[in-house]
Amino acid sequence: MKPETVQSILADRVERHRESLTARWEDVPHRVRDPISVPEYDFPTTPDDIFPWVSVCFVVADGRVLLVQDSGHSSVWEPPGGKGEVRRTSKRASDEHREQDESHESYSETARRETREETGIECEITGLLFTETLQFDYGESVLISVLQAGFVARRVGGEIRTTEDAIEEAAWLPISDLPDGTQFEAEIGSLAPSR
């Protein structure tokens, strides 16, 4: 596919997904992020050659927020999150024929899964905080857009444990006293308990 075609299809996907999310949850602030340079990766040749979306999860409890330190990112602290995944399940139709069924997990499923994988904490999504368009610059004449959704959640179980290699630490940090360089500091601050 031409880069312009891939760009157009993915831009339409971002809009459809945003409309679907806000219809499900509510209308929330949306922004378009500055382009993220990714020259080390090949430009996607089809819209399916890039992850479908990104979800982050703001788990809040007792005036604190669950954050991680990811060695692969520039932020000092950030909410757990990551790329949506395609689930592939095989269904045996007969001994000779297998039918492949593909479906994506939902945005909120991504947020819950990433939180569990990165921190060991189980959570329940309680709301949508924001959406944003991430723009990736592969060095081509066009940018590729992917929607990112930020969810608010409450803890329902688990204990902090980091098992993913890239996650150096996970911790509950006070919303009112976040370290400098915390990603989404303003959004986290909006979650502070009312006095």
Side-chain angles (χ1 to χ4, degrees), residues 12-164:
D12 289 345
R13 181 186 295 172
V14 163
E15 286 308 309
R16 281 193 327 274
H17 286 199
R18 176 166 157 51
E19 289 171 6
S20 176
L21 278 171
T22 57
R24 161 68 174 92
W25 296 94
E26 65 181 274
D27 196 21
V28 294
H30 179 78
R31 66 179 170 248
V32 177
R33 291 264 296 267
D34 290 338
I36 301 164
S37 180
V38 290
E40 66 275 20
Y41 296 102
D42 292 331
F43 190 89
T45 55
T46 74
D48 294 331
D49 291 338
I50 189 168
F51 46 90
W53 57 70
V54 178
S55 292
V56 295
C57 193
F58 300 87
V59 184
V60 178
D62 302 321
R64 299 175 302 154
V65 63
L66 180 64
L67 298 175
V68 299
Q69 289 182 323
D70 187 322
S71 62
H73 297 166
S74 61
S75 301
V76 175
W77 289 95
E78 62 189 51
K83 302 169 186 172
E85 293 182 353
V86 175
R87 292 187 287 231
R88 299 183 197 303
T89 57
S90 294
K91 297 179 181 177
R92 186 176 292 261
S94 69
D95 288 338
E96 296 87 34
H97 177 70
R98 285 185 182 239
E99 187 174 86
Q100 192 74 6
D101 176 32
E102 284 191 358
S103 64
H104 296 91
E105 64 186 350
S106 72
Y107 277 79
S108 60
E109 287 171 333
T110 300
R112 287 194 318 268
R113 176 184 52 77
E114 288 287 344
T115 300
R116 180 178 55 257
E117 290 175 358
E118 293 183 4
T119 70
I121 299 297
E122 297 286 342
C123 65
E124 176 184 22
I125 303 297
T126 58
L128 181 64
L129 185 60
F130 67 87
T131 59
E132 63 183 356
T133 301
L134 303 177
Q135 300 181 98
F136 296 99
D137 182 353
Y138 291 84
E140 296 283 332
S141 59
V142 297
L143 300 173
I144 291 300
S145 299
V146 173
L147 190 66
Q148 176 164 270
F151 290 94
V152 180
R154 66 179 187 85
R155 178 182 174 199
V156 294
E159 297 297 327
I160 288 183
R161 60 172 173 65
T162 56
T163 57
E164 287 195 7

